[in-house]
Short mmCIF file of all heavy atoms in Angstrom, two decimals:
data_model
loop_
_atom_site.label_atom_id
_atom_site.label_comp_id
_atom_site.label_asym_id
_atom_site.label_seq_id
_atom_site.Cartn_x
_atom_site.Cartn_y
_atom_site.Cartn_z
N MET A 1 30.70 -10.10 13.49
CA MET A 1 30.46 -9.41 12.22
C MET A 1 31.54 -8.35 12.05
O MET A 1 31.74 -7.52 12.93
CB MET A 1 29.06 -8.80 12.25
CG MET A 1 28.69 -8.12 10.96
SD MET A 1 26.99 -7.46 10.98
CE MET A 1 26.10 -8.90 10.52
N SER A 2 32.22 -8.37 10.93
CA SER A 2 33.30 -7.40 10.71
C SER A 2 32.73 -6.09 10.17
O SER A 2 31.56 -6.01 9.77
CB SER A 2 34.31 -7.96 9.71
OG SER A 2 33.77 -7.93 8.41
N GLU A 3 33.58 -5.07 10.12
CA GLU A 3 33.18 -3.77 9.59
C GLU A 3 32.63 -3.90 8.17
O GLU A 3 31.67 -3.25 7.81
CB GLU A 3 34.38 -2.81 9.62
CG GLU A 3 34.07 -1.41 9.15
CD GLU A 3 33.20 -0.63 10.11
OE1 GLU A 3 33.17 -0.96 11.31
OE2 GLU A 3 32.54 0.31 9.66
N ASN A 4 33.25 -4.79 7.37
CA ASN A 4 32.81 -4.96 5.99
C ASN A 4 31.46 -5.67 5.89
O ASN A 4 30.82 -5.62 4.86
CB ASN A 4 33.85 -5.75 5.19
CG ASN A 4 35.12 -4.96 4.99
OD1 ASN A 4 35.11 -3.74 5.06
ND2 ASN A 4 36.21 -5.66 4.74
N GLU A 5 31.03 -6.34 6.96
CA GLU A 5 29.76 -7.07 6.94
C GLU A 5 28.62 -6.27 7.56
O GLU A 5 27.53 -6.79 7.73
CB GLU A 5 29.92 -8.39 7.68
CG GLU A 5 30.89 -9.33 7.01
CD GLU A 5 31.16 -10.57 7.85
OE1 GLU A 5 31.18 -10.44 9.09
OE2 GLU A 5 31.35 -11.63 7.26
N ARG A 6 28.85 -5.01 7.88
CA ARG A 6 27.81 -4.21 8.51
C ARG A 6 26.63 -4.02 7.57
O ARG A 6 26.80 -3.80 6.38
CB ARG A 6 28.36 -2.84 8.92
CG ARG A 6 29.34 -2.95 10.06
CD ARG A 6 29.86 -1.62 10.42
NE ARG A 6 28.75 -0.73 10.80
CZ ARG A 6 28.92 0.32 11.56
NH1 ARG A 6 30.10 0.64 12.01
NH2 ARG A 6 27.89 1.07 11.86
N VAL A 7 25.45 -4.11 8.13
CA VAL A 7 24.23 -3.90 7.36
C VAL A 7 23.91 -2.41 7.35
O VAL A 7 24.01 -1.73 8.36
CB VAL A 7 23.05 -4.69 7.98
CG1 VAL A 7 21.74 -4.36 7.29
CG2 VAL A 7 23.33 -6.19 7.92
N GLN A 8 23.52 -1.92 6.17
CA GLN A 8 23.13 -0.52 6.05
C GLN A 8 21.63 -0.44 5.80
O GLN A 8 21.09 -1.18 4.96
CB GLN A 8 23.87 0.15 4.89
CG GLN A 8 23.54 1.62 4.74
CD GLN A 8 24.25 2.24 3.55
OE1 GLN A 8 23.94 1.95 2.41
NE2 GLN A 8 25.23 3.07 3.85
N ILE A 9 20.96 0.44 6.52
CA ILE A 9 19.53 0.72 6.32
C ILE A 9 19.42 2.15 5.84
O ILE A 9 19.79 3.07 6.56
CB ILE A 9 18.74 0.51 7.63
CG1 ILE A 9 18.89 -0.95 8.10
CG2 ILE A 9 17.28 0.87 7.43
CD1 ILE A 9 18.28 -1.22 9.45
N ARG A 10 18.93 2.31 4.63
CA ARG A 10 18.86 3.64 4.03
C ARG A 10 17.42 4.02 3.74
O ARG A 10 16.67 3.25 3.14
CB ARG A 10 19.66 3.68 2.72
CG ARG A 10 19.50 5.01 1.98
CD ARG A 10 20.36 5.07 0.76
NE ARG A 10 21.74 5.30 1.17
CZ ARG A 10 22.73 5.60 0.33
NH1 ARG A 10 22.50 5.67 -0.94
NH2 ARG A 10 23.94 5.80 0.78
N LEU A 11 17.02 5.20 4.20
CA LEU A 11 15.70 5.74 3.90
C LEU A 11 15.79 6.42 2.55
O LEU A 11 16.48 7.43 2.40
CB LEU A 11 15.26 6.73 4.98
CG LEU A 11 15.22 6.18 6.40
CD1 LEU A 11 14.84 7.28 7.37
CD2 LEU A 11 14.29 5.01 6.52
N LYS A 12 15.12 5.86 1.56
CA LYS A 12 15.14 6.44 0.22
C LYS A 12 14.24 7.67 0.19
O LYS A 12 13.19 7.70 0.84
CB LYS A 12 14.67 5.41 -0.81
CG LYS A 12 15.49 4.12 -0.83
CD LYS A 12 16.87 4.34 -1.35
CE LYS A 12 16.82 4.48 -2.87
NZ LYS A 12 18.16 4.52 -3.46
N GLU A 13 14.63 8.67 -0.58
CA GLU A 13 13.85 9.90 -0.64
C GLU A 13 12.44 9.59 -1.15
O GLU A 13 12.26 9.08 -2.26
CB GLU A 13 14.54 10.91 -1.56
CG GLU A 13 13.83 12.26 -1.56
CD GLU A 13 14.61 13.30 -2.33
OE1 GLU A 13 15.76 13.04 -2.72
OE2 GLU A 13 14.05 14.39 -2.54
N ASN A 14 11.46 9.88 -0.32
CA ASN A 14 10.04 9.62 -0.64
C ASN A 14 9.82 8.21 -1.17
O ASN A 14 9.05 8.00 -2.11
CB ASN A 14 9.52 10.66 -1.64
CG ASN A 14 9.51 12.04 -1.05
OD1 ASN A 14 9.22 12.22 0.12
ND2 ASN A 14 9.86 13.03 -1.85
N GLY A 15 10.51 7.26 -0.55
CA GLY A 15 10.39 5.89 -1.02
C GLY A 15 10.63 4.87 0.08
O GLY A 15 10.31 5.11 1.25
N SER A 16 11.18 3.76 -0.31
CA SER A 16 11.29 2.59 0.56
C SER A 16 12.42 2.72 1.59
O SER A 16 13.16 3.70 1.62
CB SER A 16 11.56 1.37 -0.31
OG SER A 16 12.84 1.51 -0.94
N ILE A 17 12.52 1.67 2.40
CA ILE A 17 13.64 1.50 3.32
C ILE A 17 14.53 0.43 2.71
O ILE A 17 14.13 -0.73 2.61
CB ILE A 17 13.13 1.06 4.71
CG1 ILE A 17 12.18 2.11 5.28
CG2 ILE A 17 14.31 0.80 5.64
CD1 ILE A 17 11.41 1.64 6.50
N ARG A 18 15.70 0.82 2.26
CA ARG A 18 16.61 -0.08 1.56
C ARG A 18 17.55 -0.76 2.55
O ARG A 18 18.20 -0.07 3.35
CB ARG A 18 17.41 0.70 0.53
CG ARG A 18 18.38 -0.13 -0.26
CD ARG A 18 17.67 -0.91 -1.33
NE ARG A 18 18.63 -1.71 -2.08
CZ ARG A 18 18.33 -2.85 -2.66
NH1 ARG A 18 17.12 -3.31 -2.61
NH2 ARG A 18 19.23 -3.52 -3.31
N ILE A 19 17.59 -2.09 2.52
CA ILE A 19 18.47 -2.86 3.38
C ILE A 19 19.61 -3.39 2.51
O ILE A 19 19.37 -4.09 1.52
CB ILE A 19 17.75 -4.08 4.02
CG1 ILE A 19 16.40 -3.69 4.62
CG2 ILE A 19 18.65 -4.78 5.02
CD1 ILE A 19 16.45 -2.71 5.75
N LYS A 20 20.83 -3.04 2.87
CA LYS A 20 21.99 -3.52 2.12
C LYS A 20 22.84 -4.37 3.06
O LYS A 20 23.39 -3.87 4.03
CB LYS A 20 22.81 -2.35 1.57
CG LYS A 20 23.92 -2.78 0.66
CD LYS A 20 24.61 -1.59 0.03
CE LYS A 20 25.71 -2.08 -0.90
NZ LYS A 20 26.45 -0.95 -1.47
N GLY A 21 22.88 -5.68 2.77
CA GLY A 21 23.56 -6.63 3.63
C GLY A 21 22.60 -7.77 3.91
O GLY A 21 21.46 -7.76 3.44
N THR A 22 23.04 -8.75 4.65
CA THR A 22 22.22 -9.93 4.94
C THR A 22 21.65 -9.83 6.35
O THR A 22 22.37 -9.58 7.30
CB THR A 22 23.05 -11.22 4.80
OG1 THR A 22 23.60 -11.27 3.48
CG2 THR A 22 22.20 -12.45 5.05
N VAL A 23 20.31 -10.03 6.43
CA VAL A 23 19.63 -10.00 7.73
C VAL A 23 18.70 -11.21 7.82
O VAL A 23 18.31 -11.80 6.82
CB VAL A 23 18.80 -8.71 7.91
CG1 VAL A 23 19.70 -7.49 7.89
CG2 VAL A 23 17.72 -8.58 6.87
N ASP A 24 18.34 -11.57 9.06
CA ASP A 24 17.34 -12.60 9.29
C ASP A 24 15.98 -11.93 9.43
O ASP A 24 15.83 -10.96 10.16
CB ASP A 24 17.64 -13.38 10.57
CG ASP A 24 18.90 -14.23 10.46
OD1 ASP A 24 19.26 -14.62 9.34
OD2 ASP A 24 19.50 -14.51 11.52
N ILE A 25 14.97 -12.47 8.71
CA ILE A 25 13.59 -12.03 8.88
C ILE A 25 12.98 -12.94 9.93
O ILE A 25 12.96 -14.16 9.77
CB ILE A 25 12.80 -12.14 7.55
CG1 ILE A 25 13.56 -11.50 6.38
CG2 ILE A 25 11.40 -11.57 7.71
CD1 ILE A 25 13.80 -10.03 6.52
N VAL A 26 12.48 -12.36 11.03
CA VAL A 26 12.02 -13.11 12.19
C VAL A 26 10.54 -12.83 12.43
O VAL A 26 10.10 -11.68 12.36
CB VAL A 26 12.85 -12.70 13.43
CG1 VAL A 26 12.41 -13.47 14.66
CG2 VAL A 26 14.34 -12.89 13.17
N ASP A 27 9.76 -13.90 12.70
CA ASP A 27 8.33 -13.70 12.96
C ASP A 27 8.09 -13.27 14.41
O ASP A 27 9.03 -13.11 15.19
CB ASP A 27 7.53 -14.96 12.59
CG ASP A 27 7.78 -16.15 13.51
OD1 ASP A 27 8.38 -15.98 14.59
OD2 ASP A 27 7.38 -17.28 13.13
N ALA A 28 6.82 -13.10 14.77
CA ALA A 28 6.46 -12.58 16.10
C ALA A 28 6.90 -13.51 17.23
O ALA A 28 7.05 -13.07 18.38
CB ALA A 28 4.96 -12.35 16.17
N ASP A 29 7.11 -14.78 16.91
CA ASP A 29 7.55 -15.74 17.93
C ASP A 29 9.06 -15.89 18.00
O ASP A 29 9.57 -16.70 18.77
CB ASP A 29 6.93 -17.11 17.65
CG ASP A 29 5.42 -17.09 17.79
OD1 ASP A 29 4.91 -16.38 18.69
OD2 ASP A 29 4.73 -17.76 16.99
N GLY A 30 9.76 -15.13 17.17
CA GLY A 30 11.21 -15.19 17.18
C GLY A 30 11.81 -16.22 16.25
O GLY A 30 13.01 -16.48 16.29
N ASN A 31 10.98 -16.82 15.40
CA ASN A 31 11.47 -17.82 14.44
C ASN A 31 11.99 -17.14 13.19
O ASN A 31 11.32 -16.26 12.64
CB ASN A 31 10.34 -18.79 14.05
CG ASN A 31 9.76 -19.49 15.26
OD1 ASN A 31 10.49 -20.09 16.04
ND2 ASN A 31 8.45 -19.38 15.42
N VAL A 32 13.16 -17.57 12.72
CA VAL A 32 13.70 -17.01 11.49
C VAL A 32 12.92 -17.58 10.31
O VAL A 32 12.86 -18.79 10.11
CB VAL A 32 15.21 -17.36 11.34
CG1 VAL A 32 15.73 -16.87 9.99
CG2 VAL A 32 16.01 -16.75 12.48
N ILE A 33 12.27 -16.70 9.57
CA ILE A 33 11.48 -17.11 8.39
C ILE A 33 12.42 -17.33 7.21
O ILE A 33 12.30 -18.29 6.48
CB ILE A 33 10.44 -16.03 8.04
CG1 ILE A 33 9.49 -15.83 9.21
CG2 ILE A 33 9.69 -16.39 6.76
CD1 ILE A 33 8.59 -14.61 9.07
N GLU A 34 13.34 -16.38 7.02
CA GLU A 34 14.32 -16.50 5.97
C GLU A 34 15.44 -15.51 6.21
O GLU A 34 15.27 -14.55 6.96
CB GLU A 34 13.70 -16.28 4.58
CG GLU A 34 13.26 -14.86 4.30
CD GLU A 34 12.72 -14.67 2.89
OE1 GLU A 34 13.51 -14.74 1.93
OE2 GLU A 34 11.51 -14.45 2.76
N SER A 35 16.58 -15.75 5.57
CA SER A 35 17.66 -14.78 5.55
C SER A 35 17.64 -14.14 4.18
O SER A 35 17.44 -14.82 3.17
CB SER A 35 19.01 -15.47 5.80
OG SER A 35 19.05 -15.99 7.11
N LYS A 36 17.80 -12.83 4.15
CA LYS A 36 17.62 -12.11 2.89
C LYS A 36 18.68 -11.02 2.78
O LYS A 36 19.10 -10.44 3.77
CB LYS A 36 16.21 -11.49 2.90
CG LYS A 36 15.68 -11.04 1.56
CD LYS A 36 14.19 -10.75 1.70
CE LYS A 36 13.61 -10.16 0.43
NZ LYS A 36 13.43 -11.14 -0.62
N SER A 37 19.10 -10.75 1.54
CA SER A 37 20.13 -9.74 1.29
C SER A 37 19.62 -8.71 0.30
O SER A 37 18.93 -9.06 -0.66
CB SER A 37 21.39 -10.39 0.70
OG SER A 37 21.90 -11.36 1.56
N ASP A 38 19.98 -7.47 0.55
CA ASP A 38 19.79 -6.39 -0.42
C ASP A 38 18.36 -6.34 -0.95
O ASP A 38 18.06 -6.82 -2.04
CB ASP A 38 20.79 -6.53 -1.58
CG ASP A 38 22.22 -6.52 -1.09
OD1 ASP A 38 22.47 -5.99 0.01
OD2 ASP A 38 23.09 -7.05 -1.79
N PHE A 39 17.49 -5.76 -0.17
CA PHE A 39 16.07 -5.65 -0.51
C PHE A 39 15.51 -4.35 0.06
O PHE A 39 16.19 -3.63 0.78
CB PHE A 39 15.30 -6.86 0.04
CG PHE A 39 15.39 -6.99 1.54
CD1 PHE A 39 14.38 -6.51 2.35
CD2 PHE A 39 16.48 -7.59 2.13
CE1 PHE A 39 14.45 -6.62 3.73
CE2 PHE A 39 16.57 -7.71 3.53
CZ PHE A 39 15.55 -7.22 4.31
N SER A 40 14.25 -4.08 -0.29
CA SER A 40 13.60 -2.85 0.17
C SER A 40 12.29 -3.17 0.88
O SER A 40 11.51 -4.00 0.42
CB SER A 40 13.29 -1.94 -1.03
OG SER A 40 14.49 -1.50 -1.62
N LEU A 41 12.08 -2.50 2.00
CA LEU A 41 10.83 -2.61 2.76
C LEU A 41 9.92 -1.44 2.41
O LEU A 41 10.40 -0.32 2.18
CB LEU A 41 11.12 -2.59 4.27
CG LEU A 41 11.91 -3.77 4.82
CD1 LEU A 41 12.30 -3.50 6.27
CD2 LEU A 41 11.11 -5.05 4.72
N CYS A 42 8.62 -1.70 2.40
CA CYS A 42 7.65 -0.66 2.10
C CYS A 42 7.54 0.31 3.28
O CYS A 42 7.43 -0.09 4.43
CB CYS A 42 6.28 -1.27 1.83
SG CYS A 42 4.99 -0.06 1.53
N ARG A 43 7.55 1.59 2.97
CA ARG A 43 7.38 2.65 3.96
C ARG A 43 6.09 3.44 3.72
O ARG A 43 5.64 4.16 4.59
CB ARG A 43 8.59 3.58 3.92
CG ARG A 43 8.63 4.63 5.01
CD ARG A 43 9.99 5.23 5.21
NE ARG A 43 10.55 5.87 4.06
CZ ARG A 43 11.19 7.03 4.06
NH1 ARG A 43 11.34 7.68 5.20
NH2 ARG A 43 11.69 7.52 2.96
N CYS A 44 5.51 3.26 2.54
CA CYS A 44 4.33 4.06 2.19
C CYS A 44 3.02 3.39 2.59
O CYS A 44 1.98 4.03 2.64
CB CYS A 44 4.32 4.36 0.69
SG CYS A 44 3.91 2.92 -0.35
N GLY A 45 3.05 2.06 2.78
CA GLY A 45 1.84 1.32 3.14
C GLY A 45 1.00 0.87 1.96
O GLY A 45 -0.06 0.27 2.15
N GLN A 46 1.42 1.15 0.75
CA GLN A 46 0.62 0.83 -0.45
C GLN A 46 1.06 -0.43 -1.19
O GLN A 46 0.39 -0.85 -2.14
CB GLN A 46 0.65 2.02 -1.42
CG GLN A 46 0.08 3.29 -0.84
CD GLN A 46 -1.36 3.13 -0.39
OE1 GLN A 46 -2.21 2.64 -1.15
NE2 GLN A 46 -1.64 3.49 0.85
N SER A 47 2.17 -1.04 -0.79
CA SER A 47 2.65 -2.23 -1.50
C SER A 47 1.65 -3.37 -1.38
O SER A 47 1.05 -3.59 -0.33
CB SER A 47 4.00 -2.68 -0.91
OG SER A 47 4.40 -3.91 -1.50
N LYS A 48 1.47 -4.12 -2.47
CA LYS A 48 0.64 -5.31 -2.45
C LYS A 48 1.45 -6.53 -2.01
O LYS A 48 0.92 -7.64 -1.94
CB LYS A 48 0.01 -5.55 -3.83
CG LYS A 48 -1.04 -4.50 -4.18
CD LYS A 48 -1.66 -4.77 -5.53
CE LYS A 48 -2.84 -3.87 -5.84
NZ LYS A 48 -2.64 -2.47 -5.61
N GLU A 49 2.73 -6.32 -1.75
CA GLU A 49 3.60 -7.43 -1.36
C GLU A 49 4.29 -7.14 -0.02
O GLU A 49 5.45 -7.46 0.18
CB GLU A 49 4.65 -7.68 -2.45
CG GLU A 49 4.04 -8.06 -3.78
CD GLU A 49 5.08 -8.25 -4.87
OE1 GLU A 49 6.20 -8.67 -4.55
OE2 GLU A 49 4.76 -7.96 -6.03
N LYS A 50 3.58 -6.47 0.89
CA LYS A 50 4.17 -6.11 2.18
C LYS A 50 4.75 -7.34 2.87
O LYS A 50 4.17 -8.41 2.77
CB LYS A 50 3.10 -5.49 3.09
CG LYS A 50 2.61 -4.15 2.62
CD LYS A 50 1.63 -3.59 3.64
CE LYS A 50 0.84 -2.45 3.11
NZ LYS A 50 -0.26 -2.86 2.22
N PRO A 51 5.85 -7.23 3.50
CA PRO A 51 6.51 -5.97 3.86
C PRO A 51 7.45 -5.44 2.78
O PRO A 51 8.13 -4.45 3.00
CB PRO A 51 7.29 -6.35 5.13
CG PRO A 51 7.71 -7.76 4.87
CD PRO A 51 6.54 -8.38 4.14
N TRP A 52 7.49 -6.06 1.63
CA TRP A 52 8.44 -5.65 0.59
C TRP A 52 7.90 -4.48 -0.22
O TRP A 52 6.70 -4.39 -0.48
CB TRP A 52 8.77 -6.82 -0.36
CG TRP A 52 8.88 -8.14 0.34
CD1 TRP A 52 8.15 -9.27 0.07
CD2 TRP A 52 9.74 -8.50 1.43
NE1 TRP A 52 8.51 -10.28 0.92
CE2 TRP A 52 9.47 -9.84 1.77
CE3 TRP A 52 10.69 -7.81 2.16
CZ2 TRP A 52 10.14 -10.51 2.81
CZ3 TRP A 52 11.35 -8.47 3.20
CH2 TRP A 52 11.08 -9.80 3.51
N CYS A 53 8.77 -3.64 -0.68
CA CYS A 53 8.41 -2.55 -1.59
C CYS A 53 8.19 -3.14 -2.98
O CYS A 53 9.01 -3.92 -3.46
CB CYS A 53 9.55 -1.52 -1.62
SG CYS A 53 9.36 -0.27 -2.91
N ASP A 54 7.05 -2.76 -3.60
CA ASP A 54 6.80 -3.20 -4.97
C ASP A 54 6.77 -2.02 -5.94
O ASP A 54 6.31 -2.15 -7.07
CB ASP A 54 5.52 -4.02 -5.06
CG ASP A 54 4.26 -3.20 -4.80
OD1 ASP A 54 4.37 -1.99 -4.51
OD2 ASP A 54 3.16 -3.78 -4.88
N GLY A 55 7.21 -0.88 -5.50
CA GLY A 55 7.25 0.31 -6.34
C GLY A 55 5.99 1.16 -6.29
O GLY A 55 5.91 2.20 -6.94
N ALA A 56 4.99 0.74 -5.51
CA ALA A 56 3.71 1.46 -5.45
C ALA A 56 3.86 2.88 -4.91
O ALA A 56 3.02 3.74 -5.18
CB ALA A 56 2.71 0.68 -4.60
N HIS A 57 4.92 3.15 -4.17
CA HIS A 57 5.12 4.50 -3.60
C HIS A 57 5.20 5.56 -4.70
O HIS A 57 4.83 6.70 -4.48
CB HIS A 57 6.36 4.54 -2.71
CG HIS A 57 7.63 4.19 -3.41
ND1 HIS A 57 8.10 2.90 -3.51
CD2 HIS A 57 8.52 4.97 -4.07
CE1 HIS A 57 9.24 2.88 -4.18
NE2 HIS A 57 9.52 4.12 -4.54
N LYS A 58 5.67 5.17 -5.87
CA LYS A 58 5.78 6.13 -6.98
C LYS A 58 4.40 6.54 -7.47
O LYS A 58 4.13 7.72 -7.67
CB LYS A 58 6.60 5.52 -8.12
CG LYS A 58 8.04 5.24 -7.74
CD LYS A 58 8.76 4.49 -8.84
CE LYS A 58 10.11 4.01 -8.34
NZ LYS A 58 10.70 3.00 -9.22
N ALA A 59 3.52 5.56 -7.67
CA ALA A 59 2.18 5.84 -8.20
C ALA A 59 1.31 6.60 -7.20
O ALA A 59 0.48 7.42 -7.60
CB ALA A 59 1.50 4.54 -8.61
N CYS A 60 1.50 6.34 -5.92
CA CYS A 60 0.63 6.98 -4.92
C CYS A 60 1.16 8.35 -4.49
O CYS A 60 0.50 9.05 -3.74
CB CYS A 60 0.43 6.08 -3.70
SG CYS A 60 1.82 5.99 -2.56
N GLY A 61 2.36 8.72 -4.95
CA GLY A 61 2.90 10.02 -4.61
C GLY A 61 3.33 10.14 -3.16
O GLY A 61 3.23 11.21 -2.56
N PHE A 62 3.83 9.05 -2.60
CA PHE A 62 4.26 9.05 -1.20
C PHE A 62 5.27 10.15 -0.93
O PHE A 62 6.22 10.34 -1.68
CB PHE A 62 4.87 7.69 -0.86
CG PHE A 62 5.49 7.62 0.51
CD1 PHE A 62 4.70 7.69 1.64
CD2 PHE A 62 6.86 7.50 0.66
CE1 PHE A 62 5.26 7.62 2.91
CE2 PHE A 62 7.44 7.42 1.93
CZ PHE A 62 6.63 7.49 3.05
N GLU A 63 5.04 10.86 0.17
CA GLU A 63 5.99 11.86 0.65
C GLU A 63 6.36 11.48 2.07
O GLU A 63 5.50 11.42 2.94
CB GLU A 63 5.40 13.27 0.61
CG GLU A 63 5.16 13.76 -0.81
CD GLU A 63 4.67 15.20 -0.85
OE1 GLU A 63 4.82 15.93 0.16
OE2 GLU A 63 4.10 15.58 -1.89
N ALA A 64 7.65 11.24 2.29
CA ALA A 64 8.13 10.86 3.62
C ALA A 64 8.00 12.05 4.57
O ALA A 64 8.05 13.20 4.15
CB ALA A 64 9.59 10.42 3.54
N PRO A 65 7.81 11.75 5.86
CA PRO A 65 7.73 12.83 6.84
C PRO A 65 8.97 13.71 6.80
O PRO A 65 10.07 13.22 6.60
CB PRO A 65 7.63 12.08 8.18
CG PRO A 65 7.12 10.72 7.82
CD PRO A 65 7.67 10.43 6.46
N GLU A 66 8.78 14.99 6.99
CA GLU A 66 9.88 15.93 6.96
C GLU A 66 10.90 15.57 8.06
O GLU A 66 10.53 15.18 9.15
CB GLU A 66 9.35 17.34 7.22
CG GLU A 66 10.31 18.43 6.80
CD GLU A 66 9.66 19.79 6.81
OE1 GLU A 66 8.54 19.91 6.26
OE2 GLU A 66 10.26 20.71 7.38
N GLY A 67 12.16 15.66 7.69
CA GLY A 67 13.22 15.42 8.66
C GLY A 67 13.86 14.04 8.54
O GLY A 67 14.96 13.84 9.01
N ILE A 68 13.15 13.09 7.92
CA ILE A 68 13.74 11.76 7.69
C ILE A 68 13.58 11.40 6.23
O ILE A 68 13.23 10.31 5.87
CB ILE A 68 13.12 10.69 8.60
CG1 ILE A 68 11.61 10.65 8.46
CG2 ILE A 68 13.53 10.89 10.04
CD1 ILE A 68 10.97 9.45 9.15
N ASN A 69 13.88 12.35 5.39
CA ASN A 69 13.61 12.21 3.97
C ASN A 69 14.89 12.01 3.15
O ASN A 69 14.89 12.25 1.97
CB ASN A 69 12.87 13.46 3.48
CG ASN A 69 12.11 13.17 2.21
OD1 ASN A 69 11.84 12.01 1.90
ND2 ASN A 69 11.77 14.19 1.47
N SER A 70 15.94 11.60 3.77
CA SER A 70 17.17 11.45 3.00
C SER A 70 17.46 10.01 2.73
O SER A 70 16.83 9.14 3.26
CB SER A 70 18.35 12.07 3.73
OG SER A 70 18.46 11.49 5.01
S1 FES B 1 7.69 2.23 -0.20
FE1 FES B 1 7.68 1.26 -2.11
S2 FES B 1 5.73 0.37 -2.22
FE2 FES B 1 5.71 1.36 -0.32
#
């Protein structure tokens, strides 16, 4: 993987975990379920489409723990 292909994981302020780049989604047995690019994972626990963020963090007023809020 080259420098230009590095995956970035960004903690959105009081929101999701944004994945920028292509990653393999792997189940508990180590099987690749799918490869996915540029998506957001739920961090608030309120998404109806877990593990994906569906925007529910806005309605529930999610506040990320202090210190990892950037
Ligand atoms: S972080 Fe967006 S729905 Fe949970």
Side-chain angles (χ1 to χ4, degrees):
M1 183 177 276
S2 74
E3 182 71 23
N4 291 338
E5 295 173 326
R6 291 179 59 157
V7 173
Q8 182 182 70
I9 300 173
R10 174 176 284 190
L11 302 177
K12 303 291 284 187
E13 185 173 351
N14 295 323
S16 65
I17 301 168
R18 180 78 180 151
I19 312 298
K20 187 174 181 183
T22 302
V23 298
D24 292 334
I25 310 297
V26 180
D27 69 13
D29 295 323
N31 302 307
V32 175
I33 300 169
E34 69 177 290
S35 294
K36 196 168 175 75
S37 301
D38 302 337
F39 60 97
S40 295
L41 295 172
C42 177
R43 187 162 59 137
C44 73
Q46 299 302 309
S47 174
K48 290 181 172 48
E49 299 178 32
K50 293 183 195 78
W52 321 122
C53 171
D54 68 358
H57 60 272
K58 295 173 190 165
C60 76
F62 173 68
E63 292 184 18
E66 198 168 313
I68 55 170
N69 202 20
S70 56

